[in-house]
């Protein structure tokens, strides 16, 4: 394993911690800034929207530059955002810090995925992407619980100081360990031409289908997860103090699913996504039906995390695959798609609760959304398979034509001496 992947994973850990730890610190932040819980919640929503903007606009702005310095610059931006958050004297400045950190989020994962894939052999690209995203899963397993505990014990600002230090360590790792790659290439033989070349990738219908699968498939899982605390306490009957430890189990599932999903996607991306999305639909349905049963809920939590995040390496790899020689902007767009899915899933789950359908309704909504993603994935896979068959048939036809032409030439060559001999014989006669 290239050691540079560890530096990328550490950056992913810090970014994942910034995104999710705020959820456990909202009560303290709300009280400190004297704002309502709903207003404090915009620190989460504003971050998600800024991720989408950064994933598209910032990635597009840096496509002509060498990727290693870009990753380092994005980490500096991330450090600055968290430092502003740690020092924020009021809510508005805190929001500015969150937005600055979020702008680095989408571009870092989008460009980082391309760099990670360029560091390994073609048959190990999805696995390399999975290693980078391991930082994000570790942030959920370890970072969020301990970051929340730190914030509760020493004040919420201490958590953002800790994240700032993690950012500095990640920056040092990127500068020291990540190899240089050119702008607009994946490490060898690319012909992408800056932003114009990157935009050409969006002519591919498969790129758009892959992005849609990301929004629906991942959005379904996240929509169910957004309101999981309500499900665990109001339906299953767990105490509020138990919820953080149950979330660790969810995080363990994320870690396992990310690792296995990456290895499976290296063997066959489309088949892996079809199987995992189908399994995720089943898990969500079973979870919704058995949410009142504590042992089944615990099992469902682990499986939800496992199958939910097993899609991530494959979804990212599929977009990069069909973006071909200009994958950077498409990769960033797919990171944005994950966050669009987050927002969609959270909105649908909140809508069902507001409609009075109960605290299992977000899980049902997640199952329906994921099922829609599975249908889109099946259409995309069928289209890709048809194109592959046509390409194979075209190659076979070309080869057959070449063979036939060669045979005709051989026949003509063989006939020529015979005809010449006959003519000589006739002349002698």
């Amino acid at each position: 394993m290239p050691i540079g992947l560890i530096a990328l994973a550490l950056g992913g850990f810090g970014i994942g911690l910034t995104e999710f730890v705020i959820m456990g610190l909202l009560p303290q932040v709300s009280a400190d800034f004297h704002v309502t819980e709903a207003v404090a919640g915009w620190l989460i929503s504003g971050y998600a929207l800024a991720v989408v903007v950064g994933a598209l606009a910032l990635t597009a702005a840096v496509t002509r530059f060498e990727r290693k310095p870009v990753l380092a610059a994005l980490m500096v931006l991330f450090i600055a955002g968290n430092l502003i958050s740690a020092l924020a004297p009021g809510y508005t400045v805190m929001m500015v810090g969150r937005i600055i950190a979020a702008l680095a989020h989408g571009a870092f994962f989008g460009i980082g995925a391309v760099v990670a894939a360029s560091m390994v052999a073609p048959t190990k690209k999805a696995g390399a992407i999975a290693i980078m995203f391991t930082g994000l899963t570790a942030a959920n397993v370890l970072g969020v619980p301990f970051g929340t505990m730190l914030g509760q014990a020493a004040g919420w600002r201490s958590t953002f100081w800790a994240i700032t230090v993690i950012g500095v360590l990640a920056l040092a790792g990127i500068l020291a360990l990540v190899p240089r790659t050119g702008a607009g290439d994946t490490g060898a033989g690319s012909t992408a031409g800056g932003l114009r070349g990157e935009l050409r990738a969006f002519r591919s219908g498969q790129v758009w289908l892959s992005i849609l699968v990301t929004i629906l498939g991942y959005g379904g899982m996240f929509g169910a997860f957004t309101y999981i605390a309500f499900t665990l306490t109001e339906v299953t009957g767990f105490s509020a103090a138990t919820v953080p430890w149950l979330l660790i189990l969810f995080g363990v599932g994320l870690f396992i699913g990310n690792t296995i999903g990456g290895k499976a996607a290296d063997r066959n991306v489309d088949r892996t996504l079809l199987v995992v999305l189908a399994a995720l639909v089943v898990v969500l349905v079973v979870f919704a039906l058995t949410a009142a049963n504590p042992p089944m809920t615990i099992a469902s939590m682990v499986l939800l995390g496992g199958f939910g995040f097993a899609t991530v390496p494959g979804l990212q790899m599929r977009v990069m695959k069909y973006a071909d020689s200009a994958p950077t902007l498409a990769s960033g767009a797919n990171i944005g798609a994950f966050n669009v899915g987050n927002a969609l899933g959270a909105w649908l789950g909140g809508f069902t609760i507001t409609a009075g359908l109960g605290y299992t309704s977000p899980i049902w909504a997640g199952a329906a959304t994921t099922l829609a993603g599975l249908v889109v994935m099946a259409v995309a896979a069928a289209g890709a398979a048809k194109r592959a068959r046509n390409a194979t048939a075209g190659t076979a036809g070309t080869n057959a034509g070449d063979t036939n032409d060669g045979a005709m030439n051989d026949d003509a060559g063989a006939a020529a001496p015979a005809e010449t001999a006959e003519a000589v014989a006739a002349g002698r006669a």
Side-chain angles (χ1 to χ4, degrees):
M1 178 183 70
I3 194 169
L5 292 175
I6 297 176
L8 295 176
L10 182 59
F13 177 82
I15 290 173
L17 187 55
T18 298
E19 180 177 17
F20 295 114
V21 77
I22 187 68
M23 296 177 184
L25 299 175
L26 276 186
Q28 292 92 328
V29 174
S30 173
D32 197 10
F33 290 146
H34 306 290
V35 297
T36 66
E37 292 83 352
V39 172
W42 275 100
L43 294 171
I44 299 173
S45 303
Y47 184 97
L49 293 173
V51 169
V52 178
V53 173
L56 295 173
L58 200 55
T59 303
V62 299
T63 52
R64 290 186 176 273
F65 299 100
E66 187 180 344
R67 293 191 180 115
K68 178 176 177 176
V70 167
L71 287 175
L74 290 170
M75 194 50 57
V76 170
L77 191 65
F78 169 78
I79 293 167
N82 282 285
L83 186 59
I84 291 171
S85 295
L87 295 171
Y91 176 84
T92 301
V93 177
M94 177 72 171
M95 178 64 81
V96 170
R98 293 285 292 168
I99 290 173
I100 291 174
L103 290 173
H105 178 133
F108 181 87
F109 277 114
I111 297 171
V114 177
V115 172
S118 73
M119 294 165 64
V120 297
T123 57
K124 298 181 179 180
K125 289 182 182 295
I129 294 171
I131 291 173
M132 187 190 73
F133 276 96
T134 296
L136 189 60
T137 62
N140 282 278
V141 177
L142 300 174
V144 171
F146 286 102
T148 302
M149 292 178 190
L150 175 63
Q152 291 172 345
W156 63 267
R157 295 178 189 274
S158 64
T159 301
F160 285 93
W161 279 112
I163 296 172
T164 301
V165 172
I166 292 171
V168 171
L169 294 175
L171 173 61
I174 289 169
L175 292 173
L177 303 175
V178 173
R180 289 184 175 273
T181 61
D185 67 65
T186 57
S190 177
T191 59
L195 179 58
R196 183 176 297 178
E198 294 287 341
L199 289 172
R200 279 199 294 269
F202 291 95
R203 295 178 182 176
S204 168
Q206 287 291 338
V207 168
W208 287 106
L209 287 172
S210 299
I211 289 174
L212 184 56
V213 174
T214 296
I215 293 172
L216 296 173
Y218 191 76
M221 184 277 288
F222 196 86
F225 176 68
T226 299
Y227 302 94
I228 198 68
F230 295 102
T231 305
L232 295 175
T233 55
E234 302 299 326
V235 180
T236 314
F238 288 113
S239 67
T242 310
V243 172
W245 302 105
L246 292 172
L247 294 181
I248 291 177
L249 292 177
F250 176 81
V252 170
L254 292 183
F255 183 84
I256 296 172
N258 179 62
T259 303
I260 295 176
K263 292 180 179 179
D266 271 327
R267 291 192 291 270
N268 190 305
V269 173
D270 285 3
R271 184 170 62 227
T272 296
L273 289 173
L274 287 169
V275 171
V276 171
L277 287 170
L280 183 56
V281 172
V282 173
V283 168
L284 287 165
V285 170
V286 172
F287 189 8
L289 292 173
T290 62
N293 184 303
M296 288 297 296
T297 294
I298 291 172
S300 296
M301 287 280 291
V302 177
L303 293 173
L304 177 62
F307 286 110
F309 222 80
T311 62
V312 173
L315 288 170
Q316 196 67 16
M317 187 62 210
R318 194 176 200 278
V319 167
M320 291 166 56
K321 173 184 176 181
Y322 287 105
D324 197 18
S325 61
T328 307
L329 187 56
S331 178
N334 203 50
I335 296 297
F338 280 114
N339 283 270
V340 172
N342 292 352
L344 174 65
W347 178 81
L348 286 174
F351 177 81
T352 60
I353 291 175
T354 303
L357 299 179
Y359 289 117
T360 59
S361 60
I363 306 175
W364 285 112
T369 306
T370 304
L371 180 60
L374 175 61
V375 171
V376 175
M377 184 62 231
V379 171
K386 181 179 180 180
R387 188 173 77 167
R389 286 195 301 269
N390 290 340
T392 301
T395 302
T398 301
N399 292 339
D402 291 343
T403 302
N404 290 336
D405 289 345
M408 291 175 65
N409 290 337
D410 290 344
D411 291 343
E419 292 171 357
T420 302
E422 291 174 0
V424 171
R428 286 178 179 173

